[in-house]
Amino acid sequence: MENPGCTHAWRTLAEKPRTMLVNFTKMVVKLGKDDPRRIIHSFKFGFALVLISILKYFRPSFYAFGDNIMWAVLTVVLVLEFSVGATLGKGFNRVLATGSAGALAVALRKIASYSGDKGKLVLTSVTVFFVAGTVTFMRFSPRLKARYDYGMIIFILTFCLVSLSENSENDLLEVAQERLLTIIIGSCIAITVCICIFPVWIGQDLHNQIASNVVKLAEFLEGFRDEYFNNLENTAEAENDKPFLHRYESILSSKTSEETMAVLARWEPCHGRFRFRHPWNQYLKIGNQIRLCAYKIKALSVFLLRSDTTPYEFRSRIEEPCTNIIMESVKALKESSVILKNMAKSPMPNPHVANAKNAAESLKSVLRTNPWEGADHLEIIPVATVASLLIDLVFCVEKICEAVDELAN
Amino acid sequence: MENPGCTHAWRTLAEKPRTMLVNFTKMVVKLGKDDPRRIIHSFKFGFALVLISILKYFRPSFYAFGDNIMWAVLTVVLVLEFSVGATLGKGFNRVLATGSAGALAVALRKIASYSGDKGKLVLTSVTVFFVAGTVTFMRFSPRLKARYDYGMIIFILTFCLVSLSENSENDLLEVAQERLLTIIIGSCIAITVCICIFPVWIGQDLHNQIASNVVKLAEFLEGFRDEYFNNLENTAEAENDKPFLHRYESILSSKTSEETMAVLARWEPCHGRFRFRHPWNQYLKIGNQIRLCAYKIKALSVFLLRSDTTPYEFRSRIEEPCTNIIMESVKALKESSVILKNMAKSPMPNPHVANAKNAAESLKSVLRTNPWEGADHLEIIPVATVASLLIDLVFCVEKICEAVDELAN
């Protein structure tokens, strides 16, 4: 006879791994769908490592130095990154840091070799302590960290390895040469695989992200107009079903990622429509202006949530100038986004900005006539605030368009 | 005779390295002054490496395996981080990943050894390709990346090294054992140095940062009151000299760093007043509420810049209720910050929140009476917007205090 409680317990026990597996599969599928280049990158990674292992069979002489294969693998695993910029930056850092740290360590060992055994121990310890401590301290500098963090770690590592190695000085030079060569070959394989097989240009990504952020702002404004100036009562409840009202929120915390992308983009050679010294800093400026605009929008969105407490009648009295401001701002933003995407030169200042400014002026004159004469003052203040924030928003949009024009020229 | 142009050129040439050196020294001094723990960390780093090099002289048998010293150095350099949480996380990741990847690779080699030489080459390549590719793909998952990114890199590395190594299977087991032991010893040295010499607890840092962010909001509000409700004309010009009006801006982009800190804090054992399973997620919730408040403040600060366009007379008519709101909000925030800092239990809901809400109600009733009767409607809208944003701010402050109370209980 079956014990139903026991069966149930078994079933729950068997259920848990199944749900975990299902969740895991879902996550994997989502990761791949969100950005199919991730799948390609994984293949590239595997391929680069197989390349090294095959190289070993075809040119065993190259790996005669025993553990050298390890250095090639280490280099590929640590250097090959998702984007070309990151890979080039790390490869450059690795080769330069290995070379300079190795040379410094060999020179210091030469000096130390003139003192006796005890002197050598003391000298080695002192130099390791000071070099490692100094470089570690340097890593705290945000500017150096952004570009050379990886190089500084490798510098400490190589310096310590060469300083503490047991080999004699002559052996050491040979080992160091071989190892530097292996690291250069490993870096070359990583860079070649990264650039030649479906390269991911982080500069292009930054470019696209900034352009799509501009569109996100425009989408919110369009959605805001539709929601705020309609006569339906269900605005607040249905708000969760409207993703365009939340899509801009990713902009609020995009500062760090944009800055990282700009640093990495600087390592990339000219590709597509990007020159070598593309003005990546200008993208950061545009990004900052977009974020300032997003903060305003965040303040605006509160009034959308509470719009059902303000009678539609009051909202409708400033509907026309507000709609004009929004429409012209949206057009200006979309045009800026197109200029950005196509990297076109803008023949003249964005005409929609001027229109938006005119609309703001006409909103001001409507406000001056006191459109809510006789209404409860408290009830109209939220509407007045929306009007005031929208007027303010035109400045932000103007700044974004100016920054885009500056980049285009 | 001297050539004055040449002398000038020489002087400029000699000047450049000098200014660079001066700038560099300034940067170093600033880095140390901003956080003196950085200097201590640099000493700790040097000390840990010296420890390893000394260990080598005292217990040469341990390093008999030739390159093992390298693995100890590698482990210390890569595992020893500024904070205890990061070091423990990396040490744990390193040991676990090395162990599991090594075991998997040895097992797969055993299987591959039954096929011939060619079969072995193919099998090795295929497993390297698939394991490296799969783990690389896993690294794209934000949840796994936050906690196990380092472990996943080490997993790929160890797996490839063991798979591609030239040693025979029996040698390999011995090498693997030795190496795992070296890595464990390296991790132990790194962790011991990190915890025993002036430890930096990242949980404590997160705790302090959240508490100081609450104070930054309060400081801005106090400054806002002093600036906005005064009768001086020079508000906008002198604004640059008032750092308290800009200090809150660091909050706007603090999301990523707070999340990283919370992840690392989870690795830390109980220390000071923090238990092992301290509710770090609650800190993130408080941080989010603080950020929402900071976005509002960003919108508010625009009106401070333009306050000179609004006659003081209009501002003064709502001065009393606005000042009350601000004062009570400031008190509420400061009390929350004290509760946070002392990790005290709050005996009852924050009384200042209720006061702030009452002040908001009285501002509403002042607004209802139309305090600016007869004034130009356009001129009063900025003031009305400030009033409206302040009323809104009370909700934000309430949410922050609620989140802090929840943590305290």
Side-chain angles (χ1 to χ4, degrees):
Chain A
M1 214 180 90
E2 263 188 38
N3 179 342
C6 188
T7 321
H8 178 73
W10 269 112
R11 223 175 259 162
T12 351
L13 216 70
E15 203 68 6
K16 216 184 163 190
R18 236 188 66 189
T19 42
M20 270 174 77
L21 197 72
V22 169
N23 286 343
F24 184 77
T25 319
K26 270 186 194 159
M27 184 196 78
V28 169
V29 171
K30 192 181 171 301
L31 279 178
K33 257 193 190 162
D34 282 354
D35 193 346
R37 297 178 303 175
R38 289 169 176 167
I39 302 171
I40 298 173
H41 175 69
S42 307
F43 275 97
K44 280 159 78 176
F45 209 94
F47 178 67
L49 287 170
V50 169
L51 259 190
I52 286 199
S53 71
I54 288 176
L55 203 69
K56 176 181 136 192
Y57 285 92
F58 285 100
R59 292 282 305 274
S61 69
F62 175 66
Y63 290 106
F65 248 77
D67 258 351
N68 263 359
I69 175 83
M70 201 195 85
W71 286 96
V73 171
L74 210 86
T75 305
V76 167
V77 170
L78 295 180
V79 165
L80 185 56
E81 288 273 329
F82 187 54
S83 66
V84 175
T87 307
L88 281 175
K90 279 196 156 181
F92 174 81
N93 265 302
R94 176 148 199 122
V95 171
L96 203 74
T98 309
S100 56
L104 181 65
V106 167
L108 288 176
R109 271 184 73 136
K110 205 92 196 165
I111 296 171
S113 67
Y114 292 118
S115 39
D117 258 9
K118 275 207 171 165
K120 201 176 157 188
L121 171 60
V122 172
L123 258 176
T124 310
S125 299
V126 169
T127 50
V128 163
F129 181 80
F130 272 100
V131 170
T134 312
V135 178
T136 304
F137 187 70
M138 287 297 101
R139 284 183 63 206
F140 286 112
S141 154
R143 269 180 65 194
L144 290 177
K145 196 177 177 73
R147 301 196 78 172
Y148 305 111
D149 191 44
Y150 183 68
M152 289 190 280
I153 297 181
I154 296 294
F155 189 92
I156 300 178
L157 200 59
T158 311
F159 184 83
C160 293
L161 289 184
V162 177
S163 296
L164 301 177
S165 149
E166 302 257 280
N167 303 7
S168 71
E169 262 79 59
N170 288 338
D171 275 1
L172 194 74
L173 270 181
E174 213 171 329
V175 174
Q177 256 177 4
E178 278 289 322
R179 209 154 272 180
L180 191 60
L181 195 67
T182 323
I183 287 174
I184 291 174
I185 290 183
S187 297
C188 286
I189 289 182
I191 291 170
T192 312
V193 167
C194 187
I195 295 186
C196 295
I197 309 174
F198 296 103
V200 174
W201 303 100
I202 196 128
Q204 180 79 52
D205 276 16
L206 175 61
H207 179 89
N208 293 347
Q209 183 174 315
I210 296 281
S212 86
N213 280 352
V214 174
V215 173
K216 279 178 192 166
L217 294 181
E219 277 177 355
F220 173 87
L221 288 176
E222 279 182 321
F224 181 83
R225 182 204 54 188
D226 294 344
E227 297 295 310
Y228 195 74
F229 295 110
N230 78 10
N231 201 359
L232 300 171
E233 293 297 307
N234 61 348
T235 315
E237 293 122 48
E239 205 244 358
N240 281 331
D241 310 331
K242 287 159 189 151
F244 53 86
L245 294 178
H246 297 286
R247 226 172 270 149
Y248 81 95
E249 282 173 0
S250 66
I251 300 172
L252 297 169
S253 56
S254 61
K255 190 178 166 70
T256 326
S257 84
E258 277 172 17
E259 280 171 359
T260 314
M261 287 166 104
V263 166
L264 295 179
R266 257 179 269 266
W267 291 108
E268 293 181 346
C270 52
H271 56 94
R273 293 162 303 167
F274 299 93
R275 297 186 317 279
F276 177 52
R277 285 181 165 280
H278 200 72
W280 298 115
N281 268 336
Q282 189 60 30
Y283 282 92
L284 293 185
K285 271 190 206 162
I286 302 175
N288 281 337
Q289 293 301 340
I290 292 175
R291 246 185 316 284
L292 288 180
C293 199
Y295 297 144
K296 295 257 151 68
I297 279 183
K298 187 84 198 170
L300 205 58
S301 69
V302 174
F303 295 94
L304 191 59
L305 276 169
R306 304 225 191 96
S307 60
D308 48 349
T309 59
T310 326
Y312 171 67
E313 200 199 330
F314 295 160
R315 283 180 267 154
S316 72
R317 294 203 197 149
I318 53 162
E319 182 171 350
E320 205 199 316
C322 284
T323 309
N324 283 343
I325 290 182
I326 292 176
M327 289 315 295
E328 292 299 331
S329 298
V330 166
K331 279 182 198 160
L333 287 173
K334 286 195 171 165
E335 190 171 305
S336 275
S337 147
V338 170
I339 290 176
L340 254 178
K341 259 190 206 138
N342 301 337
M343 296 177 83
K345 290 213 173 180
S346 53
M348 46 180 182
N350 200 320
H352 301 294
V353 172
N355 293 348
K357 277 168 139 179
N358 290 339
E361 286 306 318
S362 66
L363 175 57
K364 279 183 193 168
S365 40
V366 169
L367 293 177
R368 201 169 275 131
T369 62
N370 191 0
W372 306 291
E373 190 72 60
D376 182 351
H377 219 74
L378 190 62
E379 274 190 319
I380 62 167
I381 279 183
V383 195
T385 308
V386 167
S388 164
L389 288 173
L390 281 178
I391 292 172
D392 215 50
L393 204 73
V394 174
F395 287 98
C396 281
V397 171
E398 191 186 2
K399 291 265 180 210
I400 294 176
C401 294
E402 274 174 14
V404 170
D405 283 353
E406 205 179 310
L407 176 68
N409 296 322
Chain B
M1 218 180 88
E2 262 188 37
N3 179 341
C6 189
T7 321
H8 178 73
W10 269 112
R11 221 174 259 162
T12 351
L13 216 69
E15 203 67 6
K16 217 186 163 189
R18 236 188 67 187
T19 42
M20 271 174 75
L21 198 72
V22 169
N23 286 343
F24 184 77
T25 319
K26 269 186 196 160
M27 184 196 79
V28 170
V29 172
K30 192 180 171 300
L31 279 177
K33 255 192 191 162
D34 282 355
D35 193 346
R37 298 177 303 176
R38 289 169 176 167
I39 302 171
I40 298 173
H41 174 69
S42 306
F43 276 97
K44 280 159 76 177
F45 209 93
F47 178 67
L49 287 171
V50 168
L51 260 190
I52 286 198
S53 72
I54 289 176
L55 202 70
K56 175 181 136 191
Y57 285 92
F58 284 101
R59 292 283 305 276
S61 70
F62 176 66
Y63 290 106
F65 248 76
D67 258 351
N68 264 359
I69 175 85
M70 201 196 84
W71 286 96
V73 171
L74 209 87
T75 305
V76 167
V77 170
L78 295 180
V79 165
L80 186 55
E81 288 273 331
F82 186 55
S83 67
V84 175
T87 307
L88 281 175
K90 279 196 157 180
F92 174 82
N93 265 303
R94 178 150 196 119
V95 171
L96 203 74
T98 309
S100 56
L104 181 65
V106 167
L108 287 176
R109 272 184 73 136
K110 205 90 196 167
I111 295 172
S113 67
Y114 292 119
S115 38
D117 257 9
K118 275 207 171 166
K120 201 176 157 187
L121 171 60
V122 172
L123 258 174
T124 311
S125 299
V126 169
T127 50
V128 164
F129 181 81
F130 272 101
V131 170
T134 312
V135 178
T136 305
F137 187 72
M138 288 296 102
R139 284 183 63 205
F140 286 112
S141 154
R143 269 181 65 195
L144 291 177
K145 194 176 179 72
R147 300 197 80 171
Y148 305 112
D149 191 44
Y150 183 68
M152 289 190 281
I153 296 181
I154 296 294
F155 189 92
I156 300 177
L157 200 60
T158 312
F159 183 83
C160 293
L161 289 184
V162 177
S163 296
L164 301 177
S165 148
E166 303 257 280
N167 303 4
S168 72
E169 261 77 60
N170 288 337
D171 276 2
L172 195 74
L173 269 180
E174 212 170 328
V175 173
Q177 256 178 6
E178 279 288 323
R179 209 155 271 180
L180 190 61
L181 194 67
T182 324
I183 286 173
I184 290 175
I185 291 183
S187 297
C188 287
I189 289 182
I191 291 170
T192 313
V193 167
C194 187
I195 294 185
C196 296
I197 308 174
F198 297 102
V200 174
W201 303 100
I202 195 131
Q204 180 79 52
D205 276 16
L206 175 62
H207 179 89
N208 294 347
Q209 182 174 315
I210 296 281
S212 85
N213 280 353
V214 174
V215 174
K216 278 178 193 167
L217 294 181
E219 277 176 356
F220 174 88
L221 288 176
E222 279 181 322
F224 181 83
R225 182 205 54 187
D226 294 344
E227 297 296 309
Y228 195 76
F229 294 110
N230 77 9
N231 201 1
L232 301 171
E233 292 299 307
N234 61 347
T235 315
E237 294 124 48
E239 206 242 358
N240 281 330
D241 310 331
K242 287 158 188 151
F244 55 86
L245 294 178
H246 297 286
R247 226 171 270 149
Y248 80 94
E249 282 173 1
S250 66
I251 301 171
L252 297 169
S253 55
S254 61
K255 191 178 165 69
T256 326
S257 85
E258 278 172 16
E259 281 170 1
T260 313
M261 287 166 104
V263 166
L264 296 179
R266 256 180 271 265
W267 290 108
E268 294 182 345
C270 52
H271 56 94
R273 294 161 303 167
F274 299 93
R275 298 187 315 281
F276 177 53
R277 285 181 165 281
H278 199 72
W280 299 114
N281 268 337
Q282 189 61 31
Y283 283 91
L284 294 185
K285 272 190 205 162
I286 301 174
N288 281 337
Q289 292 302 339
I290 292 174
R291 246 185 316 283
L292 287 181
C293 199
Y295 297 145
K296 294 259 151 66
I297 279 182
K298 187 83 199 169
L300 205 57
S301 68
V302 174
F303 294 94
L304 190 59
L305 275 169
R306 305 226 192 98
S307 60
D308 48 349
T309 59
T310 325
Y312 171 68
E313 199 200 328
F314 295 161
R315 284 180 265 154
S316 72
R317 294 205 196 146
I318 53 162
E319 181 170 351
E320 205 200 314
C322 284
T323 310
N324 284 342
I325 290 182
I326 291 176
M327 289 314 295
E328 292 299 331
S329 298
V330 166
K331 279 182 197 159
L333 287 173
K334 286 195 171 165
E335 190 171 304
S336 275
S337 148
V338 170
I339 291 176
L340 254 179
K341 260 189 207 139
N342 302 337
M343 296 177 84
K345 289 213 173 181
S346 53
M348 47 181 181
N350 200 320
H352 300 294
V353 172
N355 293 348
K357 277 169 140 178
N358 290 339
E361 285 306 319
S362 67
L363 175 59
K364 278 183 192 169
S365 41
V366 170
L367 292 177
R368 202 169 274 131
T369 62
N370 191 0
W372 306 292
E373 190 72 59
D376 183 352
H377 219 73
L378 189 60
E379 274 190 320
I380 62 167
I381 280 183
V383 195
T385 308
V386 168
S388 163
L389 288 174
L390 281 178
I391 292 171
D392 215 49
L393 205 74
V394 174
F395 286 99
C396 281
V397 171
E398 191 186 3
K399 290 265 180 207
I400 294 176
C401 294
E402 273 174 14
V404 170
D405 284 351
E406 204 180 309
L407 176 69
N409 296 323

